[in-house]
Amino acid sequence: MNASHPLLPSEEWREVFLRRFKNFRKNAVQPTLFAPLPASLGIMPRIRERDHWWAFLTGVPMSEWDAAKKPKPYQKPWRGQYHGYGADALPIPNAEGSSQILSYSLEDGRVFSTSNSEMWRVTTDGVELTSAMNATASLPTPSGTPAPPDRPEDTSDQNAPASIYPEPTPKHMQLLFHGDALHLLMYFTHWIILHLERGSAPSPHVLTDTHSRWIFALLSRVRDDVSADEMSTLRSLARACMSLIEERKRATSNVASSSQGKAVGLFPMNESGCWMIITLVIGIWGQRDLWQDAEAMLRRLPA
């Protein structure tokens, strides 16, 4: 159909954009020889962990959303776990890293030494290290652990943003396949809907231009032949982007500059990015009837 509404993308633009996207998709699937995958790029959430993906896509450090990487609190060993050594015996690590068995009496509470560098105290809970010299004296403490070699100390401005949204890269896309991409696109539709349901209230799911680039890249991983359910996922994504355009235009139509500034902040995802996503769903997967929905959406807007 011809673009009868002036705000719809023109036929000429659509043809050029779709042709370039198809070329991009062909180039993106080409294998890159002798290009090792950086270890940091391999760390992404599991596909079905939706909340972890939102944290990942908004730059939250992995230590905050990956339970396997969270530091575990120290727990004092239960005395009963050493029953194999006898009721009054505990294994004491020595300087070489192995353990020696020490028998003691709980009643005397004495301090004793297991080597020239360690002092231990008998308590009712077991034994505890009271002092260590030489090699152990240089070990980091919980309040002064040095940064690992690959993560230097942060000397940036304390007022700077705590994190940067990760951009989609070819290496990321090589780890995501057809089903993975559709699952993540379904998440983006969900986040857009949650954001729109908040109206003028602050939303925890604010879509940015970085997210629109992720959607673009994920669409390049979706095959041309899709099932009915997968097509429904793509159409829902396109309609969610239409709703985002409509709400943004309604919010920014307020003539009051203060309200306008607030509205732009609520919808930071660029409108052109939304149109690109809509055009891809319609043009690549043949859903041309959605142009009628897009035109109807634009006609509902105030003049």
Side-chain angles (χ1 to χ4, degrees), residues 85-131:
Y85 298 114
D88 291 24
L90 285 177
I92 305 299
N94 56 31
E96 287 74 24
S98 59
S99 298
Q100 66 182 63
I101 307 304
L102 174 72
S103 296
Y104 64 91
S105 172
L106 287 177
E107 286 76 17
D108 57 15
R110 68 184 183 278
V111 176
F112 56 87
S113 167
T114 59
S115 68
N116 294 331
S117 61
E118 297 178 348
M119 296 296 293
W120 296 78
R121 183 192 308 276
V122 178
T123 68
T124 56
D125 295 326
V127 293
E128 61 182 16
L129 181 66
T130 61
S131 65

Side-chain angles (χ1 to χ4, degrees), residues 6 32 42 45 77 87 89 101 117 120 130 149 154 159 186-189 191 200-201 207 218 228 251 255 271 296 300:
T32 303
I101 307 304
S117 61
W120 296 78
T130 61
D154 183 12
N159 295 325
M186 181 176 61
Y187 290 165
F188 276 106
T189 303
W191 293 326
S200 59
L207 280 297
L218 290 170
V255 295
E271 186 177 325
R300 288 195 299 266

Side-chain angles (χ1 to χ4, degrees), residues 19 76 153 167 202 210 248:
R19 182 173 65 252
K76 182 176 291 187
E153 288 188 40
E167 292 284 346
T210 300
R248 184 185 178 96

Side-chain angles (χ1 to χ4, degrees), residues 67-282:
K69 300 297 181 180
K70 290 182 179 179
K72 297 178 175 58
Y74 171 76
Q75 294 181 349
K76 182 176 291 187
W78 175 52
R79 180 171 176 268
Q81 74 186 83
Y82 300 112
H83 61 82
Y85 298 114
D88 291 24
L90 285 177
I92 305 299
N94 56 31
E96 287 74 24
S98 59
S99 298
Q100 66 182 63
I101 307 304
L102 174 72
S103 296
Y104 64 91
S105 172
L106 287 177
E107 286 76 17
D108 57 15
R110 68 184 183 278
V111 176
F112 56 87
S113 167
T114 59
S115 68
N116 294 331
S117 61
E118 297 178 348
M119 296 296 293
W120 296 78
R121 183 192 308 276
V122 178
T123 68
T124 56
D125 295 326
V127 293
E128 61 182 16
L129 181 66
T130 61
S131 65
M133 292 79 74
N134 299 333
T136 55
S138 62
L139 291 176
T141 63
S143 60
T145 304
D150 59 338
R151 296 193 60 183
E153 288 188 40
D154 183 12
T155 57
S156 59
D157 185 3
Q158 297 298 322
N159 295 325
S163 58
I164 300 176
Y165 288 9
E167 292 284 346
T169 67
K171 294 297 185 182
H172 281 123
M173 293 303 109
Q174 288 178 11
L175 300 175
L176 300 171
F177 300 95
H178 171 83
D180 304 328
L182 283 166
H183 215 89
L184 295 178
L185 291 171
M186 181 176 61
Y187 290 165
F188 276 106
T189 303
H190 172 74
W191 293 326
I192 292 174
I193 293 173
L194 286 183
H195 174 69
L196 293 173
E197 287 177 349
R198 298 291 293 242
S200 59
S203 172
H205 299 92
V206 178
L207 280 297
T208 68
D209 288 343
T210 300
H211 296 136
S212 67
R213 290 189 286 273
W214 270 94
I215 297 174
F216 177 89
L218 290 170
L219 286 171
S220 72
R221 304 297 289 168
V222 178
R223 299 190 299 262
D224 287 342
D225 54 322
V226 296
S227 66
D229 289 341
E230 293 169 343
M231 185 65 74
S232 177
T233 297
L234 296 175
R235 289 175 65 90
S236 296
L237 174 65
R239 287 198 171 99
C241 288
M242 292 180 197
S243 298
L244 198 61
I245 293 173
E246 181 178 8
E247 292 301 314
R248 184 185 178 96
K249 286 186 173 297
R250 288 185 182 279
T252 56
S253 64
N254 194 324
V255 295
S257 59
S258 59
S259 299
Q260 183 176 2
K262 180 179 179 181
V264 172
L266 289 173
F267 300 95
M269 186 169 169
N270 197 296
E271 186 177 325
S272 60
C274 292
W275 282 120
M276 290 181 185
I277 296 167
I278 295 168
T279 302
L280 288 177
V281 173
I282 296 175

Side-chain angles (χ1 to χ4, degrees), residues 36-45 53 56 60-63 65-66 69 150-151 164 166-173 175 214:
L37 181 68
S40 59
L41 290 183
I43 303 173
M44 293 191 296
W53 268 99
F56 169 75
V60 176
M62 184 185 63
S63 59
W65 53 260
D66 190 345
K69 300 297 181 180
D150 59 338
R151 296 193 60 183
I164 300 176
E167 292 284 346
T169 67
K171 294 297 185 182
H172 281 123
M173 293 303 109
L175 300 175
W214 270 94

